[in-house]
Each structure stands twice: as structure tokens, then as C-alpha cells.
Amino acid sequence: MRRLAVTLLLLPGLFGLSLWTGVGPADDWVHNCQVRQAYLDRLEAMEVEVNRMRIQGKSEQEIARAMVPRRNEAKSLVRGKMKVKDVRKLEQRNQARYGSPQGPTIEWMYARHGGNWHEIVEASLDSNAFYDVTCIPWFDL
């Protein structure tokens, strides 16, 4: 019981040290959240591009064919800032799930969304809410 009480008293302070200085027991978490923020920033820029393409009259299929590879490229770029073991784990998961280490291909998305190009475009702009929630204290909301 004493260990739990000490942990509950010290952990917020240690966590805060990592959050503000980047040095401390949660520095891996801070770094991963910084990487996550960079990825979300890229998705936000992609959303602006999608809206621009729609205004220009591009079809949903054209937009989807441009955005799905771009999303995978965004993942590859931000993964360059991650630890090799973490990247390897993500790539293995993607290979097993999508058949590609970068992420879903346009063919996988087409099959997953039943050929609905609009849904494919929207899915290419979406992020995993669970991972987003784990970094809420870090994100600029």
C-alpha cells in the first residue's frame, strides 16, 4: 500500500518533468507524442489538399488515388523520427493486416469500403483515436 501511495504522489511530478523538459521517465512518451503530432499535422494538410481538389472538380476516385499513397508517405516520413524497434513493430502489424509495411494500399481500401471512393478519401484522412487520446496532454488543442 505504501508503494502505491508513493507512486501516486511522485508519478505526476516525474511525468511533468518529462512533459516540460523532455528529460525524465516519460521522455519516450513525449517523443512518441511529438511524432504523433507531426503525423496529425500532415493529415491536416492533406485535408486542406482534399478540399482544394474537390473545389477544382476532381473526382473522388482521383482524390483517393492521390491521398492513400500520400498518407502512407506521411507515416513513413514521421516514422523516420521513431526508434527502429517501434517502427519494425508497426511495419509488421501493417504487413499482417494490409499486406504492405507502409499501410493500406488503394486496392485494400477499395475492397474494405466496398468501392465507395468518398469513404476511401475520408478514411485516408482519419487517424487512430486511441493513439490520439493517449497524447492529449501533449497535443496543441
Side-chain angles (χ1 to χ4, degrees):
M1 185 67 170
R2 186 175 350 145
R3 185 179 298 162
L4 177 63
V6 169
T7 301
L8 291 176
L9 290 173
L10 293 179
L11 189 60
L14 294 173
F15 176 78
L17 179 66
S18 292
L19 184 62
W20 298 112
T21 66
V23 177
D27 59 342
D28 284 345
W29 174 82
V30 170
H31 176 75
N32 289 341
C33 288
Q34 290 171 334
V35 171
R36 186 73 181 170
Q37 183 66 56
Y39 175 63
L40 293 175
D41 290 345
R42 290 182 182 279
L43 289 183
E44 213 172 277
M46 286 173 50
E47 187 172 2
V48 170
E49 181 70 15
V50 164
N51 291 333
R52 186 185 63 75
M53 292 173 84
R54 285 178 174 153
I55 289 169
Q56 290 175 344
K58 304 271 185 183
S59 71
E60 291 295 310
Q61 182 177 357
E62 288 176 295
I63 297 169
R65 289 191 180 278
M67 290 301 128
V68 170
R70 189 184 249 176
R71 178 183 182 185
N72 291 335
E73 179 185 321
K75 283 189 267 187
S76 295
L77 289 172
V78 298
R79 284 180 181 171
K81 301 174 186 174
M82 295 173 67
K83 292 181 179 177
V84 174
K85 69 178 179 100
D86 294 336
V87 172
R88 192 174 308 121
K89 190 168 90 172
L90 292 171
E91 288 178 346
Q92 288 172 348
R93 179 194 65 107
N94 283 347
Q95 183 67 42
R97 185 173 187 186
Y98 307 119
S100 168
Q102 284 76 37
T105 61
I106 192 73
E107 294 81 13
W108 188 92
M109 295 283 274
Y110 187 83
R112 169 87 166 133
H113 295 283
N116 186 329
W117 292 106
H118 179 75
E119 284 183 18
I120 295 170
V121 170
E122 294 304 314
S124 71
L125 301 174
D126 200 15
S127 65
N128 187 316
F130 172 75
Y131 291 113
D132 295 347
V133 168
T134 61
C135 289
I136 281 181
W138 174 260
F139 288 161
D140 298 327
L141 299 177

